[in-house]
């Protein structure tokens, strides 16, 4: 999966989204933990969502072709990796920012991570299924 991941495109887009969201959220002047947590977590979701979608939707060359073929044969297994990474990293970010008075429980941090991970899982898997169907047709 690491060979297939579009690192530059996913990271660049995630950074732009996170910075734009932070600028919008911080425009009120009062920068609190939630104003930092929200753009960081959104950036993580964009990184894993866009990366997964590009990975299965693009036509790679060389050894990346084998990785994409596996991802198309196993769309839910492939989508599980970016979803798990999303869940873990969102949870960690929210727990770290809780040190800055985010006032959030472990359960709410975990549920936020799982909710975002579910969206990544479904979107990436459905894109892989559509790409697989497009190859057959």
């Amino acid at each position: 999966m690491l060979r297939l991941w579009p690192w530059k495109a996913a990271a660049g887009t995630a950074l732009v989204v996170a910075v734009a969201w932070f600028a919008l959220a911080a425009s009120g002047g009062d920068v609190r933990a939630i104003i930092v947590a929200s753009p960081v977590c959104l950036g993580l979701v964009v990184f894993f969502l866009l990366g997964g979608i590009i990975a299965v939707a693009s036509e790679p060359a060389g050894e990346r072709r084998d990785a994409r073929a596996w991802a198309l044969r196993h769309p839910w297994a492939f989508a599980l990796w970016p979803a798990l990474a999303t869940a873990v990293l969102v949870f960690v970010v929210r727990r770290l920012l809780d040190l800055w008075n985010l006032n959030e429980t472990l359960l709410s941090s975990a549920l936020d991570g799982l909710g975002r991970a579910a969206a990544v899982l479904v979107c990436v898997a459905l894109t892989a299924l559509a790409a697989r169907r497009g190859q057959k047709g």
Side-chain angles (χ1 to χ4, degrees):
M1 182 178 96
L2 293 176
R3 285 183 289 165
L4 191 57
W5 205 259
W7 294 98
K8 290 178 186 174
T13 305
L15 182 64
V16 167
V17 168
V19 168
W21 190 254
F22 177 76
L24 182 64
S27 65
D30 185 22
V31 178
R32 299 181 315 255
I34 192 66
I35 291 176
V36 175
S38 182
V40 171
C41 292
L42 180 62
L44 288 169
V45 169
V46 168
F47 176 79
F48 289 110
L49 180 63
L50 185 64
I53 288 171
I54 291 172
V56 295
S58 64
E59 291 286 338
E63 64 185 32
R64 294 179 64 209
R65 188 176 316 208
D66 295 335
R68 181 176 183 260
W70 182 89
L72 295 182
R73 282 193 311 273
H74 308 283
W76 294 98
F78 173 76
L80 189 60
W81 291 107
L84 285 173
T86 300
V88 168
L89 290 175
V90 165
F91 176 79
V92 167
V93 164
R94 294 188 77 88
R95 295 314 308 153
L96 287 174
L97 287 172
D98 189 51
L99 300 173
W100 185 21
N101 201 17
L102 187 59
N103 294 329
E104 186 170 75
T105 64
L106 280 171
L107 180 61
S108 61
S109 294
L111 290 176
D112 185 49
L114 289 174
R116 294 172 192 252
V120 170
L121 176 73
V122 169
C123 291
V124 172
L126 291 178
T127 302
L129 287 169
R132 181 172 71 185
R133 176 171 246 173
Q135 275 189 336
K136 291 179 183 178

